[in-house]
Amino acid sequence: MHKYIGTPRPHQVRALKKAWPHKEFAFFHAMRSGKTYTAINLAAARYEKGQINGLVIVCPSPIKNVWTRELEQWSPIDISSFVVTAGCKKKFERWLDSLDAKSLPVMVLGIEALSQGQAHLMAHDFLKKFQCMSVIDESTGIKNDKSGRTKKCYDIGGLSEYRLILTGTPVTQGLHDLYAQMRFLNSNILDCKSYFVFRNRYCIMGGFQGKKVLGYQFEDDLMNKIGDRIDQVTKKEAMPNLPPNDYDSLTVDLTREQLAAIKTLKDEMVAVQGDSELTVSTIMEQLTRYQQIIGGNFPFDDGAGGYEVEPIRGVNPKLSALLSYLDGADVGTK
């Protein structure tokens, strides 16, 4: 019998029992209803039964450390986790070589990393070495069937023995977003060979050039197809068992441009972006400029004793984290 750390809530036990017979499943559970805890226990139970010996977590980069913290707190089995960061391939290879059969190896990577770099190849190496369950957290992040990272998630799913998606967005909102998420789980669930077949069957199109989704049709048919592969929990349903409201922090990885600016400002009290130069003379001023750089802005000398500000080139990790968080937030709470 599976042993839990902590006491699972009734909806979590129900979700685990419903997911257990299937190789692919979806937890459409409202925010703060504990879907991470449920996913951890599903993976642990599969490991205990010899169904898997590896776990891959793909999630928004700001919550990678949330996953490792939750795994350490709630996993009833021994785990060895590795969080993928920029330039970590050699460290990852050493970790792979150091693993033994006494714990479940867990690879955690940010979904943004699948857009470029070696994260996808590292996931390939991991999936070929172990029999894995792969989890896509905040799975609305792969709702775009055409994006490169969605296609790489399809690839990860194809190499996995078990697949699980998690999102706090109810299935009844934006039904056209379901296609890519279900395809990751198993392309046969929807019985649609492409997104266009799915869209033409279930979406009512209109607007300019007929490219806007105006509504949906045959919803009962769609729900019947996915009904045994999903578990839905609304906030109202989970409310009696929700813990007191608290606020967690999101951790972001700085870009190379931000790290370079901070390093040179620390070492040399000067930083450069293109033709713009920033100099500081005191520690307090230096700390203020750190905050601006971390926020995605580069302050530079205006030549008249003051400062101007321009965006740092590339993505803004804090804004990306905010948008990812909002994408998974309940409608009406944003």
Side-chain angles (χ1 to χ4, degrees):
M1 183 177 178
H2 179 69
K3 294 182 179 180
Y4 299 92
I5 294 180
T7 303
R9 289 169 257 163
H11 70 269
Q12 293 172 317
V13 175
R14 181 200 69 202
L16 286 167
K17 289 181 177 179
K18 190 175 179 181
W20 182 256
H22 302 288
K23 287 197 170 185
E24 52 275 325
F25 206 76
F27 292 152
F28 291 129
H29 293 186
M31 292 182 69
R32 297 185 61 246
S33 60
K35 56 184 176 290
T36 303
Y37 176 90
T38 313
I40 290 170
N41 279 281
L42 179 61
R46 295 208 185 284
Y47 175 74
E48 289 169 329
K49 292 295 184 180
Q51 296 176 349
I52 64 171
N53 59 2
L55 177 62
V56 176
I57 306 293
V58 181
C59 62
S61 290
I63 62 173
K64 289 187 296 185
N65 291 333
V66 174
W67 265 99
T68 56
R69 187 168 66 244
E70 294 279 298
L71 283 161
E72 291 171 1
Q73 183 176 0
W74 300 117
S75 175
I77 60 173
D78 291 334
I79 62 166
S80 174
S81 62
F82 184 91
V83 178
V84 175
T85 56
C88 71
K89 192 171 189 301
K90 290 185 178 179
K91 186 177 179 181
F92 172 73
E93 291 170 349
R94 291 194 296 269
W95 174 72
L96 279 182
D97 291 338
S98 70
L99 294 171
D100 55 41
K102 297 179 181 179
S103 59
L104 174 66
V106 183
M107 180 182 187
V108 183
L109 64 148
I111 192 169
E112 298 85 354
L114 295 177
S115 300
Q116 58 185 357
Q118 297 184 317
H120 181 231
L121 297 177
M122 292 162 61
H124 254 256
D125 292 342
F126 186 84
L127 288 158
K128 289 177 180 178
K129 186 178 179 70
F130 301 104
Q131 184 167 301
C132 292
M133 183 172 98
S134 289
V135 179
I136 306 290
D137 192 10
E138 302 299 348
S139 57
T140 51
I142 61 168
K143 63 186 178 183
N144 182 359
D145 177 62
K146 294 182 180 179
S147 76
R149 70 185 187 187
T150 297
K151 292 176 180 177
K152 288 175 181 176
C153 283
Y154 292 161
D155 191 34
I156 287 173
L159 292 171
S160 305
E161 189 70 19
Y162 294 86
R163 291 159 294 280
L164 178 70
I165 59 174
L166 315 174
T167 180
T169 305
V171 70
T172 52
Q173 299 167 14
L175 294 184
H176 56 287
D177 294 340
L178 275 175
Y179 175 78
Q181 297 178 73
M182 291 297 122
R183 183 178 169 185
F184 165 78
L185 292 179
N186 189 323
S187 59
N188 295 322
I189 292 176
L190 294 175
D191 191 29
C192 293
K193 294 183 179 180
S194 70
Y195 172 71
F196 297 103
V197 173
F198 173 84
R199 189 188 69 180
N200 292 338
R201 183 178 299 175
Y202 296 111
C203 300
I204 300 170
M205 308 301 293
F208 180 67
Q209 297 183 341
K211 293 183 179 181
K212 183 178 180 180
V213 178
L214 301 180
Y216 303 101
Q217 59 188 355
F218 311 125
E219 294 180 50
D220 289 344
D221 174 64
L222 178 58
M223 291 300 107
N224 286 335
K225 286 182 177 178
I226 69 174
D228 67 338
R229 306 300 175 92
I230 68 171
D231 185 78
Q232 294 189 75
V233 175
T234 64
K235 184 171 287 188
K236 183 178 180 180
E237 179 184 358
M239 191 65 71
N241 300 298
L242 285 179
N245 194 15
D246 58 0
Y247 299 90
D248 203 355
S249 61
L250 299 178
T251 303
V252 302
D253 295 324
L254 299 183
T255 66
R256 292 179 180 177
E257 291 80 7
Q258 289 174 309
L259 289 171
I262 287 175
K263 185 178 187 304
T264 55
L265 199 60
K266 175 178 179 292
D267 295 342
E268 304 171 23
M269 305 293 276
V270 64
V272 177
Q273 176 175 270
D275 296 328
S276 302
E277 182 176 293
L278 167 66
T279 59
V280 295
S281 56
T282 68
I283 295 298
M284 289 302 297
E285 184 183 11
Q286 188 181 53
L287 292 174
T288 299
R289 303 309 167 202
Y290 284 169
Q291 291 178 328
Q292 290 176 294
I293 292 170
I294 290 170
N297 298 298
F298 186 84
F300 62 94
D301 305 328
D302 64 2
Y307 290 96
E308 294 185 27
V309 176
E310 63 185 14
I312 291 180
R313 294 162 189 171
V315 299
N316 184 326
K318 292 180 76 174
L319 284 181
S320 297
L322 175 62
L323 292 173
S324 294
Y325 178 82
L326 288 175
D327 198 35
D330 294 338
V331 172
T333 65
K334 298 183 181 183

